[in-house]
Amino acid sequence: MHFISGTEAQLGQANSALISSYRYKVFIETLGWQLDNPVGAERDQFDRPDTVYVAARDADGAVIGCARLLPTVRPYLLDEVFPQLLDGLPIPRDAQVWELSRFAAVDFNSKNTSPLQQFSSPAAIALLQESIACAAALGARRLITVSPVGIERLLRRAGFRARRAGPPTIVEGHPLFACWIEVDPAQLAAGPQPDAACHAAPQAERAAAERHLN
Amino acid sequence: MAISLAESGPIRSADGCIRLTLADLRQQVFTHLLSGLDEYCVPAGAGHATPTAITGYTEWVGERSPVISLGWDWLFDVSAPRRALRRLGAPRSNLLLLDPDRADLSEAHSELQLEAFVDALLWQATVLRHVELRYRP
């Protein structure tokens, strides 16, 4: 697996088309999202010249994962489509905050990956790590995402520092929430440390706190 | 970060984090939002082996503004003599607890106190009821 990233101009037309086609297969054909798109290509109003994409490709060059990064100083998904997820908070507008969206790590060559199980696969973790690194290179200190409720615990189990920005809200029958993901330079260097218990606090700090309480 | 003693009640920062003392948290009333089974625990039909442990998740929300959100994973040990749900792992929330002087607790201390808070809530019957209704064949 290898990664490519950049704007559409940087990726080129061929790579951009592969990503768009992959997104169509994941979000429209597999997950059944009701979006107004031409057959075979998934794009929306946030696919702009300044949008940054991260894609994972297998040895044969097929796209097996994708992510989209948007600066929050311009319109973005949480801002324009799901502001209710912030429960009345001002929408983040900060050059150090980028939105992560259209994240998928479904390998259509594998028979064992369900759309939800993809989030805990090694490929998904690697793609997220790459996306965070890409965002960091763009100046991000935090990412914000609109995600299904189960994503937060999957992120934490995988060792990412994730925290909800507001309460989950049922949107068209699906519980969604706004999730912060910290861009942690130490974690970027060392890689995420899996934590099956989903702790937010690092293990050493918890151990010290437990000793203090006892 | 120390908070002025003149302030009371929950304080919400720009990133959505709600700060309050454990005493204030205990004054909140929580409502069940949703519960579910982990995907691999969903019954697939007749003929499958009965699992010895069932795991899932649950989400609760406070009834006051700013809305406190609490979620956690749970385990139902089918083989245990006393069959009951118990919390599994750390709760997930938009909270950071304050000490009685309204200074920030560390993330670790806050997490430990939230665990104890969740364990004292009477949530198990509500979650069981919702899961049974949701996955009823």
Side-chain angles (χ1 to χ4, degrees):
Chain A
M1 181 172 64
H2 67 276
F3 299 99
I4 57 174
S5 63
T7 62
E8 279 190 355
Q10 292 166 336
L11 292 174
Q13 195 174 10
N15 285 327
S16 298
L18 283 175
I19 293 170
S20 180
S21 171
Y22 175 80
R23 280 168 48 175
Y24 187 90
K25 207 168 175 182
V26 171
F27 297 112
I28 296 178
E29 288 186 341
T30 304
L31 294 178
W33 288 12
Q34 302 296 312
L35 300 174
D36 185 18
N37 286 114
V39 175
E42 195 273 303
R43 292 176 60 86
D44 67 7
Q45 66 268 42
F46 305 111
D47 291 300
R48 306 185 300 249
D50 66 320
T51 304
V52 176
Y53 304 90
V54 183
R57 302 178 68 169
D58 66 12
D60 297 323
V63 174
I64 57 173
C66 71
R68 180 174 72 180
L69 294 168
L70 285 161
T72 60
V73 293
R74 293 194 63 190
Y76 60 105
L77 188 69
L78 175 67
D79 163 27
E80 298 221 324
V81 182
F82 298 107
Q84 71 271 34
L85 297 181
L86 290 176
D87 188 34
L89 276 178
I91 303 295
R93 296 207 187 285
D94 189 331
Q96 295 185 333
V97 177
W98 283 64
E99 180 183 63
L100 175 70
S101 63
R102 293 297 195 271
F103 184 92
V106 180
D107 183 352
F108 290 102
N109 294 322
S110 165
K111 294 175 185 173
N112 297 322
T113 304
S114 80
L116 197 56
Q117 286 176 351
Q118 57 156 325
F119 291 106
S120 51
S121 71
I125 292 168
L127 176 61
L128 182 55
Q129 185 76 346
E130 185 70 22
S131 300
I132 293 172
C134 184
L138 294 165
R141 298 282 298 275
R142 296 177 109 175
L143 299 181
I144 193 156
T145 81
V146 173
S147 297
V149 158
I151 295 307
E152 186 184 13
R153 62 180 182 152
L154 293 176
L155 289 171
R156 286 205 188 174
R157 283 180 187 169
F160 294 100
R161 296 193 63 195
R163 184 174 60 77
R164 56 190 61 185
T169 301
I170 309 297
V171 178
E172 296 181 5
H174 300 285
L176 302 178
F177 78 115
C179 182
W180 290 109
I181 302 174
E182 302 297 326
V183 177
D184 185 343
Q187 188 179 74
L188 280 175
Q193 302 303 306
D195 179 0
C198 302
H199 296 128
Q203 291 293 333
E205 286 183 24
R206 273 191 63 96
E210 284 168 349
R211 286 194 298 272
H212 182 258
L213 285 174
N214 294 330
Chain B
M1 182 180 88
I3 307 292
S4 164
L5 290 178
E7 298 172 0
S8 62
I11 302 164
R12 188 167 61 166
S13 56
D15 66 355
C17 181
I18 298 172
R19 287 175 162 81
L20 75 172
T21 63
L22 188 59
D24 286 337
L25 181 61
R26 287 178 177 143
Q27 298 301 312
Q28 295 268 340
V29 174
F30 284 89
T31 302
H32 176 266
L33 179 64
L34 60 92
S35 293
L37 297 176
D38 285 332
E39 195 174 72
Y40 51 83
C41 292
V42 175
H48 287 257
T50 303
T52 57
I54 298 171
T55 59
Y57 54 91
T58 186
E59 291 284 339
W60 295 66
V61 289
E63 293 187 344
R64 300 179 192 170
S65 181
V67 177
I68 294 172
S69 173
L70 264 181
W72 60 91
D73 297 343
W74 49 263
L75 170 76
F76 184 42
D77 188 349
V78 179
S79 62
R82 270 187 73 189
R83 301 166 114 200
L85 300 184
R86 61 177 174 86
R87 176 184 52 80
L88 190 63
R92 297 173 290 278
S93 75
N94 56 349
L95 293 176
L96 181 66
L97 293 179
L98 304 171
D99 70 12
D101 294 325
R102 300 186 68 78
D104 281 359
L105 287 176
S106 70
E107 198 171 30
H109 274 104
S110 179
E111 190 170 87
L112 287 168
Q113 289 202 7
L114 274 178
E115 289 175 5
F117 175 78
V118 165
D119 291 344
L121 289 175
L122 298 175
W123 56 270
Q124 289 85 347
T126 301
V127 171
L128 264 178
R129 188 168 59 249
H130 278 272
V131 167
E132 285 170 358
L133 280 172
R134 180 174 173 180
Y135 296 99
R136 178 177 294 171

